[in-house]
Every structure is written in structure tokens, then in C-alpha cells.
Amino acid sequence: MNVNELRQLAEWFISNYPKLSSLYGNLIGPIQHNASQPNKQPVEGQLELLIAFLNEMNFEELSLQQLKMLANFGVDKYIGAFGASFVSSVVRTSNFDPATAAGKISEASNKINEAQSGFSAYLAALKSLAIIERVDGSDGKTIIIRVGFQNEASI
């Protein structure tokens, strides 16, 4: 992956981060309350909003290498359809344990926050080194094609 692709990934993640972080945070509050208080708060509304957002996330503009980078950050399982499945399974288990659910959702939120910090630091470094202007270089005449092989396959 080149510098420009990593910059594009960072910008994509940061553009999705405010809503993603807000929706995860909105879900954590009632779950933590339900884990420690006898009077329970509903979580269905926040849960549905988060699941809807996760399912609507657009990954089409990301390359396979960019998706692997999200996996390296450990956030791939907390965003998109995988994230929707994760959140749903944590909150809607048959023996719902609010304390465990709160811990797992908080862990997901922390991973997302760490990734955002990393991407923000990366963009700040590029900006401070004035690299962003130099690496864009897309003249419209160049096409990059990558071929990836799985396991023992090769040309």
C-alpha cells in the first residue's frame, strides 16, 4: 500500500468516526446503567440506530490492502456488517448479561478510538512533512492494478 492509499483510508475512517463513536457511546450508557442499577433502561433504540449505521457503511471505495489495514488495527470486526453482527450478538444473547455486554461494547469503542487516533496522527504527520501535496500525483493516466494470490498460488 502506498502513502496515498493509506491517506485515503485514514480520511475514510475519520469521516465515519464521529457518527460511529457517537452511536457506540450512546449504546454503552444504557448497558452500563443496566449492569449496575435495578431499574433498567431500554437499549433497543440505540441498538437499532447503531446496527443500521454499521450496515450502511460503504466499503466499496476501499482496496483489499486498506481492508487488511483495518484488520491490523483490530477494528474490522466492529464496523460494517461484521460490526452489526457483533453488536447484535453481544446485546441480544439469550442469557443477556449487561456487565459482560458493556465490557465488550466498551472494548469495541476503545479499539475504534485507538484507530481514529492512529489515523489522525498519520494524517498530522503527513501534513507536517508537507507530504500530502506531493503524494497525490494522480494524473488520471495511471492505473494501479494489484494481483493477490492466496496460499500457495502464484503466477
Side-chain angles (χ1 to χ4, degrees):
M1 179 180 321
N2 65 36
V3 173
N4 193 39
E5 289 174 303
L6 192 50
R7 178 185 57 86
Q8 289 169 345
L9 173 61
E11 289 170 347
W12 176 89
F13 191 86
I14 289 170
S15 73
N16 283 290
Y17 174 77
K19 181 101 177 182
L20 186 63
S21 175
S22 172
L23 289 171
Y24 263 103
N26 291 345
L27 181 61
I28 291 170
I31 292 175
Q32 286 177 333
H33 173 84
N34 292 348
S36 62
Q37 301 297 321
N39 59 337
K40 305 301 182 198
Q41 292 182 347
V43 297
E44 193 66 27
Q46 292 90 344
L47 177 64
E48 290 301 323
L49 288 172
L50 177 57
I51 288 174
F53 177 76
L54 292 171
N55 281 323
E56 292 172 4
M57 289 183 79
N58 183 6
F59 291 88
E60 290 180 12
E61 62 190 70
L62 301 180
S63 69
L64 292 175
Q65 288 78 19
Q66 290 169 323
L67 294 172
K68 284 182 183 178
M69 183 60 70
L70 290 173
N72 289 343
F73 270 109
V75 296
D76 59 327
K77 58 189 166 210
Y78 304 126
I79 59 177
F82 290 124
S85 177
F86 163 78
V87 170
S88 181
S89 69
V90 166
V91 176
R92 291 183 172 151
T93 56
S94 57
N95 5 327
F96 179 68
D97 175 17
T100 302
K104 288 182 179 182
I105 298 296
S106 292
E107 178 184 328
S109 181
N110 290 339
K111 278 288 190 188
I112 290 168
N113 292 337
E114 288 172 17
Q116 188 275 341
S117 295
F119 284 130
S120 292
Y122 177 75
L123 288 178
L126 288 179
K127 190 174 228 173
S128 70
L129 295 171
I131 291 177
I132 288 180
E133 293 79 19
R134 289 186 274 170
V135 296
D136 197 12
S138 56
D139 58 5
K141 299 176 186 173
T142 306
I143 298 174
I144 297 175
I145 297 176
R146 291 197 178 93
V147 178
F149 297 98
Q150 300 248 337
N151 301 327
E152 301 296 320
S154 64
I155 295 180

